Amino acid sequence: MFVGPRMKRDLVTVTPGATLEAAARLLTAHRIHHLPVVEEGNRLVGIVSDTDLRRATLDGMFGGADSGDSGRPLRVEEIMTRELVTLSPGDTLDDAMLVLSRQRIGALPVVEGDRLVGIVTKADILTALLSTLDIEGLGVRIEVVLRRDVKEVARLAAALADQDVEVRSLVLALHGADGYAAFVRVATIDVASVRDRLRGKGFAVGELSDFYEGG
Amino acid sequence: MFRFLPFPRRPGHRIVYIEGISLSAQSTGYASSLFRHYERFFHDLGFHRFRLKASLSVGKYYWAKEGFDCADRKQFGEMRENLQALVRGLHLPVEEQEIRRLNHASTVAAFRRDLLIPVYRNPDGYYATVRDASHTEEFRFPLGKAFLLCSDPWDGYKVIYTDTPRRTGLVWSERFLDHETRPGHPESPKRMEALLAAIREEGLRESLIFLEPYIPAMESLHAVHDPAYLESFREAASRGDRHFAVRDCAISEGSYGAALLAAGGVMAGIDAVFSDRSDNVFCAVRPPGHHAGRSSAMGFCFVNNVAAGARYARSAYGVERIYILDWDVHHGNGTQALFEEDPLTFFCSLHEHPSFCYPGTGRRLERGKGPGLGGTLNVPLAPHAGDREMIEAFEREVVPSIDAFRPELILLSAGFDAHRDDPIAGLECTEDAYIHMTRRVLELADRHCEGRVVSVLEGGYRTESLVSSAIAHIKTLQGREGSPCSSARG
């Protein structure tokens, strides 16, 4: 899972000299929250977000910062973020997720050298997760709690194969001190039978009440 | 227009002899008034129904319009064949399919009012389709009327029900059992056998108007399904495949025919409510349909019966605004996909939440697309929700949406698998929820569309709960079950 195939490539950008109004119009028109700021040759010099714009507007209204000679419209280069966290297409989505989560930012420009080639946003990461887990696909999820032993995982896979049931996704997560939780998405309407047969083979198939607590 | 006079009830005022009605006196309305009077009379005496039988040699068109039908189906089959022969002889622009879907003398009487054909009357008042020595006076009548006026005498009967406030039709055919699934498969023919046996045991057979399903014209199915998809389904079934597309969709040789007939069953139901043969209809059909999409079979479904019915109602009866309510425990993803861009077909589904239940669609945020945005309403219920939650959600969201939409026809995708005894999913409703929702749907249908409701069986996989829920539903459609109720119980 690399950034390259998942990043957005058709970009809406702005130049450093653009007015804030022009930038705000771009954000609204494209229903996005971040604009990479580029010079000639797509050279990335900054990023401006709707939060930056809002802050600048509020400052202008309430006189927070000295906005220079009043009446002159502010330009993007005056408010944009210059210390950028960027990715390269060869970075992984894990990297992107960690940065987005730890640094609490919404979008990461992707560069080759100093040339802008794409952008990865939180929304893109969610989309990638949804498709990996096949959450929009047809099917229903079964939760199975296993002993933390990969042989148990193999036994679960074999039990599913015996039932000739179509598995859409399988996520294995650590569970408690010595267990795994397996989240299996199966494409069958008769999921009750699948659960029953798994229980018949000694698997602990989660009940809803198991998931009400915690989290 | 002639207005029917109420039958004069003062004794000794006027006497009507039914056998004395002559052709010239046919349209005075006495026979009709007599029926209404009998209806009241027998009802007050405590009778539940009465059956009028007559050998009809004159006034056949009139009696057909009055609700008389052929006493046996063989005779009706002959009537259809004779009509077919007449059409062929006159080279009329009538499709064979149009005749095949006639299933009651009244539908024959109303057949092709747009096509006038010549008939010839003799001095005694009898009609014939060909001119001869005595039949000389020429008239031009609509096809169905002309045909009946000229038909041979037939034995007719009419049953008048006095114990149910509403006339409810039942679509059913033995051929629905031809769709066989592998042993242990939840969607088994036994569901249908048990339901029919219960209808018999409950004595409902006599008060339900039986409606025969028919194999629909392929063009009407192509409004819903890709022709290539239907063809590959047909091939899979005739080849002897054991399932089609996915393993859930078990099939047998008879599956294709049964699936087509199920869609045609809904069409027959729609014919019945629009020709006023019944006020509402329950279609006891299988295989179910609400998961089937334009080119996809899944979740035991092959042909989307409700969707085919909706499209048919639009093309055959010009119905514009159709509300489809789906209370099967599973989201009706097939129906939703077929109508999500259609602003005139409202689709509403109550189901167990997609994070816990097949097929994993039907979230609140799915509200329709493009011009149909806002024409889809999904109401997911958390696992273990029961009557209280179901009825609350129904009152809070479904009822206002029906009122706001003002439908001309309400179709129900009536699955009964949200029942607490049904193992297939996690809702815990009882018959009470189905009775409540049925009664409220009828009230709303009375308000907006003259009571026209066509209910179509979808899921329900534990025989006992399927049968008790469906019977409660049918009785409520007839207006028998429960006390008046106009709001959610707390």
Side-chain angles (χ1 to χ4, degrees), chain B residues 44-101:
Chain B
D44 292 347
L45 281 179
F47 283 94
H48 287 154
R49 64 178 190 281
F50 58 99
R51 188 183 163 102
L52 302 174
K53 213 177 149 209
S55 203
L56 304 171
S57 55
V58 292
K60 287 158 290 194
Y61 169 62
Y62 172 77
W63 296 117
K65 276 202 304 180
E66 258 302 329
F68 275 82
D69 196 14
C70 295
D72 74 89
R73 299 315 292 169
K74 221 177 92 215
Q75 202 173 27
F76 188 75
E78 284 163 16
M79 189 185 272
R80 263 196 305 224
E81 278 164 29
N82 291 340
L83 177 58
Q84 182 68 53
L86 175 67
V87 161
R88 247 187 244 123
L90 294 172
H91 305 290
L92 297 173
V94 175
E95 302 279 332
E96 209 168 305
Q97 169 62 28
E98 294 177 66
I99 293 175
R100 217 182 305 147
R101 95 180 172 223

Side-chain angles (χ1 to χ4, degrees), chain B residues 474-490:
Chain B
I474 293 170
K475 285 184 175 173
T476 313
L477 284 174
Q478 292 184 312
R480 301 169 185 250
E481 194 82 37
S483 52
C485 158
S486 57
S487 65
R489 282 164 297 178

Side-chain angles (χ1 to χ4, degrees), chain B residues 1-190:
Chain B
M1 278 299 287
F2 187 88
R3 206 167 65 81
F4 284 148
L5 298 166
F7 180 72
R9 278 191 290 170
R10 267 186 295 145
H13 186 72
R14 225 178 253 171
I15 301 166
V16 178
Y17 299 98
I18 265 212
E19 63 267 37
I21 291 182
S22 68
L23 280 172
S24 57
Q26 261 180 39
S27 49
T28 52
Y30 282 125
S32 189
S33 306
L34 193 66
F35 294 155
R36 307 286 170 267
H37 173 71
Y38 272 152
E39 200 172 333
R40 225 172 296 134
F41 178 71
F42 282 113
H43 175 261
D44 292 347
L45 281 179
F47 283 94
H48 287 154
R49 64 178 190 281
F50 58 99
R51 188 183 163 102
L52 302 174
K53 213 177 149 209
S55 203
L56 304 171
S57 55
V58 292
K60 287 158 290 194
Y61 169 62
Y62 172 77
W63 296 117
K65 276 202 304 180
E66 258 302 329
F68 275 82
D69 196 14
C70 295
D72 74 89
R73 299 315 292 169
K74 221 177 92 215
Q75 202 173 27
F76 188 75
E78 284 163 16
M79 189 185 272
R80 263 196 305 224
E81 278 164 29
N82 291 340
L83 177 58
Q84 182 68 53
L86 175 67
V87 161
R88 247 187 244 123
L90 294 172
H91 305 290
L92 297 173
V94 175
E95 302 279 332
E96 209 168 305
Q97 169 62 28
E98 294 177 66
I99 293 175
R100 217 182 305 147
R101 95 180 172 223
L102 298 170
N103 54 14
H104 188 275
S106 67
T107 59
V108 177
F111 190 54
R112 292 301 297 262
R113 289 206 180 95
D114 58 315
L115 265 182
L116 299 181
I117 67 163
V119 289
Y120 307 93
R121 190 161 78 171
N122 71 6
D124 296 332
Y126 290 93
Y127 291 84
T129 52
V130 283
R131 188 197 292 270
D132 59 22
S134 64
H135 296 90
T136 51
E137 201 184 345
E138 182 173 332
F139 293 86
R140 295 182 80 80
F141 286 143
L143 178 57
K145 177 177 182 176
F147 170 75
L148 280 171
L149 285 174
C150 302
S151 66
D152 298 332
W154 43 279
D155 288 330
Y157 79 102
K158 177 186 164 89
V159 177
I160 294 179
Y161 305 104
T162 62
D163 65 335
T164 62
R166 292 173 201 264
R167 293 166 301 147
T168 297
L170 177 75
V171 172
W172 150 259
S173 165
E174 293 238 307
R175 282 143 81 194
F176 294 139
L177 304 177
D178 294 348
H179 169 53
E180 289 165 23
T181 50
R182 62 177 169 268
H185 193 280
E187 207 285 281
S188 120
K190 292 198 187 86

Side-chain angles (χ1 to χ4, degrees), chain A residues 135-141 163-164 185 187-192 195 208 212, chain B residues 186 247-248 291 298-300 330 333 356-361 383-384 423-424:
Chain A
I135 281 175
E136 278 197 302
L138 301 173
V140 57
R141 192 174 57 208
Q163 295 195 35
D164 197 12
R185 202 168 167 81
T188 175
I189 187 173
D190 193 13
V191 67
R195 284 202 183 96
L208 197 64
Y212 273 143
Chain B
R247 216 181 111 77
D248 279 348
H291 294 306
M298 56 178 279
F300 310 157
H330 305 105
N333 60 309
F356 307 96
C357 185
Y358 185 87
T361 52
H384 302 300
I424 202 147

Side-chain angles (χ1 to χ4, degrees), chain B residues 355-390:
Chain B
S355 287
F356 307 96
C357 185
Y358 185 87
T361 52
R363 291 169 196 274
R364 271 188 188 282
L365 57 90
E366 296 165 28
R367 296 182 54 242
K369 285 185 181 164
L373 185 66
T376 299
L377 173 63
N378 281 299
V379 185
L381 298 165
H384 302 300
D387 288 351
R388 195 172 53 84
E389 291 84 356
M390 177 71 98

